[in-house]
Amino acid sequence: MNDSSEETPRLTTVERAQALLDQDMAITEKIDQGAQLDDAIDPGNLTDSAEGHPEQVRMRVAKRALMLKEGIEPYPVHLDVTDRIEDVRRKYQDRLEPGQETEDVVGIAGRVLFLRNGGGLCFVQLAAGDGTRIQGMVSKREIGADSLKRFKQLVDLGDHLYLRGRVVASKTGELSVFATEWNIAAKALQPLPALHKELTEEQRTRKPYLAMIADEDVRAMVRRRSKAVSSLRRTFEDHDFMEVETPMLQTVHGGAAARPFTTHMNAFDIDLYLRIAPELFLKRCLVGGIERVFEINRDFRNEGVDATHAPEFTMLEAYQAYGTYDTIGELTKELIQKAAMATAGSLTVTLKDGSQYDFGGDWHQISMYESLSESLGEEITPQTSVDHLRTIADKLGLEEEPAENHGKLVEHLWEHFWQDKLYEPTFVRDFPVETSPLVKAHRTKPGVVEKWDLYVRGFELATGYSELNDPVVQRQRFVEQAKMASRGDVEAMDIDEDFLEALGVGMPPAGGMGMGIDRLLIALTGASIRETITFPLVKPLV
């Protein structure tokens, strides 16, 4: 094959980084030797640039080099920022007539989102981190010809810029800072995306920092998430709960039915699991006498990715001694309603599509077995055989999953009929024992456990239990889980002897709940899970 037809070998990560660094240094050397900006970035004057910077980046690198040559720090440690853009706008908005000037001097800094360089007067729009904007006016009259020339030469869109000057209103009435001093606070080497165009999904997920700059909805989601989490903590504090932290690396995976991520610890030469749930450690807290405990934690499950599932997510779990799945259900309702008030100011929230959703009023409650029986037109009980359930599933055309038992088949059938139909907040109660190995048996219904799942707009938002605290029954459940794992169930739990020993010390009866923070934001906003996670995991580009 002719060499010219062969594909150029792809550089390794280190080789590419070195090539870019070599180009940076070559541009800097040209500037130090007295070259003009355009000449310094000319590819003909640089080393091999096959893996080099785009022209815009080369120009910004050259401007950085020029600043350093002239003794101007492109990334100063400190600037005299005395005022926030938000505060200046709040104080003066609609209080100045067009052309009116004040003697009030402020020192502000923000990112440059608009720049218009005129003859003796330049206009720049600065944005605070929350998106609040203000205009800066830079004139030859105030700062001198040389400084204005440097401003035009060095300042680019995306730079962080410091302005000090008087608060005025422009002739068109725009609130402005008339600069007597300016400095670049941080030189941006990468250009911003076109702010008048909507970002692609690829840009949003791979470069969320750009989305934060360009999209108010993204910034709003970050604020809503923070407010929701703060609200949850306040509600727990009001109920005398204590927040704790539990291990993220665990020797035994448990606390939920899920496939774990595995890793290896060199110091101990042992395999470990990334936490799939904090449940078993929080229950140890109950044993230790912390009777009201919660944790907002990062969990990891090596499973599929869709609109409501992510491999890394934030989970809230809470346990209350001497509670039940009824009392923890009331607490969960309060947590969600107060989070809605904190993020939306109302129990009726406006979703992304413009529709409204009401978290107020009484929430529905249905029984899993009774609602399934209603849909099938025949009674299904914990005693219904696996073979009969499989026959029903086959008639409905449901795909069989590995190692399906009575409980999994019942849930599989129930989801077929009900899961996406529960629009209003609904507690689905009383689950099969086989799918709930950490839950206490129902007080009056054999073969059923005291568990609920809370559904909102067709997806599961939270789950709650009357917690199993009998060590003998718990061991029996763990053994059944281990047998299920041996039959191919990759989500079955391991036997955790340390946890069983802790239960043997004595855990008080308790109610417990778990809720995904990401799913809570989905419920409150109507966004997808990727939109609720500030930095979602994405597959690297090869």
Side-chain angles (χ1 to χ4, degrees):
M1 181 180 291
N2 191 304
D3 289 344
S4 62
S5 65
E6 293 182 0
E7 185 177 340
T8 304
R10 181 179 294 275
L11 298 183
T12 66
T13 301
V14 175
E15 289 171 339
R16 185 174 187 276
Q18 185 64 57
L20 295 173
L21 180 60
D22 289 345
Q23 191 175 82
D24 292 341
M25 295 301 99
I27 292 172
T28 300
E29 184 178 358
K30 290 291 182 182
I31 292 292
D32 289 343
Q33 292 172 352
Q36 298 297 310
L37 291 173
D38 288 338
D39 186 55
I41 69 169
D42 188 335
N45 296 331
L46 302 174
T47 55
D48 179 23
S49 59
E51 289 284 340
H53 294 300
E55 182 178 350
Q56 277 198 63
V57 177
R58 296 201 305 271
M59 177 58 77
R60 290 166 182 252
V61 169
K63 290 181 180 183
R64 170 191 175 276
L66 181 60
M67 292 176 69
L68 290 171
K69 179 186 177 184
E70 297 185 352
I72 305 170
E73 176 54 60
Y75 306 98
V77 175
H78 174 73
L79 292 164
D80 191 21
V81 179
T82 57
D83 304 87
R84 300 193 312 162
I85 291 174
E86 308 95 301
D87 295 335
V88 174
R89 181 159 289 283
R90 190 179 302 113
K91 181 177 180 180
Y92 294 97
Q93 183 68 39
D94 299 326
R95 296 186 181 180
L96 301 180
E97 298 295 328
Q100 183 179 349
E101 300 187 6
T102 77
E103 295 303 316
D104 300 339
V105 176
V106 297
I108 61 170
R111 188 183 293 276
V112 177
L113 296 187
F114 173 80
L115 186 62
R116 187 173 81 231
N117 290 330
L121 180 62
C122 298
F123 294 91
V124 60
Q125 188 181 70
L126 302 185
D130 71 349
T132 305
R133 302 184 184 191
I134 196 168
Q135 179 171 268
M137 301 168 64
V138 184
S139 75
K140 182 170 66 174
R141 185 187 71 183
E142 291 286 342
I143 66 172
D146 289 343
S147 182
L148 183 64
K149 179 181 177 181
R150 276 286 174 260
F151 181 89
K152 293 178 180 180
Q153 183 182 44
L154 296 177
V155 177
D156 291 302
L157 293 179
D159 290 350
H160 286 271
L161 184 68
Y162 166 77
L163 295 179
R164 184 171 183 80
R166 291 176 293 111
V167 178
V168 303
S170 70
K171 292 180 179 179
T172 60
E174 182 68 30
L175 182 65
S176 308
V177 173
F178 207 123
T180 56
E181 179 186 344
W182 70 272
N183 286 97
I184 290 179
K187 184 65 188 171
L189 300 186
Q190 295 288 337
L192 294 179
L195 298 180
H196 62 279
K197 295 182 180 179
E198 189 171 341
L199 294 180
T200 66
E201 183 65 20
E202 187 79 358
Q203 287 175 308
R204 289 177 185 275
T205 54
R206 292 194 179 278
K207 299 179 180 180
Y209 47 89
L210 292 181
M212 293 177 203
I213 295 169
D215 193 334
E216 166 57 25
D217 289 342
V218 175
R219 293 192 297 272
M221 180 61 74
V222 177
R223 289 194 295 270
R224 288 191 190 104
R225 188 182 182 101
S226 178
K227 289 180 178 179
V229 172
S230 295
S231 170
L232 295 172
R233 287 193 164 102
R234 285 194 301 271
T235 303
F236 279 121
E237 185 176 353
D238 291 342
H239 288 274
D240 296 324
F241 277 72
M242 185 179 298
E243 184 173 9
V244 300
E245 295 180 350
T246 61
M248 196 172 291
L249 292 173
Q250 302 180 353
T251 56
V252 179
H253 70 87
R259 180 183 294 189
F261 286 94
T262 59
T263 187
H264 186 81
M265 182 179 178
N266 293 329
F268 291 172
D269 191 25
I270 58 173
D271 289 333
L272 295 172
Y273 301 98
L274 293 184
R275 173 176 58 197
I276 60 175
E279 177 169 343
L280 301 187
F281 285 93
L282 292 176
K283 286 181 174 178
R284 288 172 170 89
C285 291
L286 293 179
V287 172
I290 304 175
E291 295 187 341
R292 297 188 177 203
V293 63
F294 78 98
E295 182 176 11
I296 297 174
N297 60 81
R298 302 295 284 179
D299 286 349
F300 308 85
R301 299 184 183 180
N302 198 358
E303 299 171 342
V305 178
D306 58 31
T308 58
H309 292 84
E312 176 185 3
F313 60 98
T314 305
M315 174 68 81
L316 161 68
E317 289 202 16
Y319 296 85
Q320 179 178 350
Y322 306 105
T324 67
Y325 75 149
D326 295 312
T327 57
I328 208 73
E330 287 300 313
L331 176 62
T332 302
K333 180 180 179 182
E334 181 181 346
L335 288 164
I336 294 169
Q337 289 182 332
K338 288 187 174 179
M341 291 296 299
T343 58
S346 170
L347 293 181
T348 300
V349 301
T350 301
L351 304 179
K352 186 177 179 180
D353 62 4
S355 63
Q356 292 189 322
Y357 188 86
D358 186 8
F359 283 101
D362 294 328
W363 291 7
H364 300 299
Q365 300 196 36
I366 64 173
S367 161
M368 172 165 282
Y369 278 96
E370 290 177 5
S371 57
L372 176 58
S373 299
E374 176 187 328
S375 296
L376 288 173
E378 64 172 284
E379 186 177 17
I380 302 297
T381 72
Q383 289 71 47
T384 302
S385 70
V386 170
D387 288 341
H388 184 61
L389 292 171
R390 280 182 176 149
T391 299
I392 296 172
D394 289 342
K395 288 181 179 178
L396 293 171
L398 300 185
E399 184 176 346
E400 188 172 333
E401 297 179 358
E404 281 196 317
N405 51 38
H406 169 91
K408 285 200 168 187
L409 281 164
V410 167
E411 290 193 13
H412 200 178
L413 289 167
W414 182 88
E415 289 170 0
H416 171 74
F417 287 106
W418 283 94
Q419 179 170 281
D420 58 356
K421 295 179 176 61
L422 298 177
Y423 186 80
E424 296 179 358
T426 304
F427 289 104
V428 182
R429 295 166 59 92
D430 303 339
F431 279 62
V433 65
E434 294 90 346
T435 57
S436 308
L438 300 170
V439 188
K440 184 166 286 187
H442 198 282
R443 282 161 276 185
T444 60
K445 300 177 182 178
V448 173
V449 294
E450 294 195 351
K451 169 187 173 180
W452 52 254
D453 278 353
L454 173 61
Y455 278 81
V456 169
R457 290 180 27 244
F459 67 89
E460 179 194 334
L461 174 56
T463 187
Y465 318 103
S466 295
E467 300 295 341
L468 177 58
N469 61 340
D470 183 330
V472 175
V473 175
Q474 185 63 80
R475 181 180 297 278
Q476 179 185 5
R477 300 270 187 88
F478 276 158
V479 169
E480 287 300 319
Q481 287 283 301
K483 291 178 180 178
M484 289 165 58
S486 68
R487 295 194 294 267
D489 189 340
V490 295
E491 295 184 347
M493 298 182 198
D494 282 346
I495 297 174
D496 191 332
E497 286 292 346
D498 183 77
F499 175 67
L500 290 170
E501 185 175 341
L503 278 189
V505 175
M507 186 186 97
M513 61 80 66
M515 176 169 62
I517 300 298
D518 314 306
R519 290 197 177 193
L520 175 60
L521 268 294
I522 293 172
L524 294 175
T525 66
S528 69
I529 193 167
R530 279 196 170 192
E531 292 171 310
T532 70
I533 299 174
T534 309
F535 294 96
L537 180 66
V538 293
K539 187 175 181 180
L541 296 173
V542 179

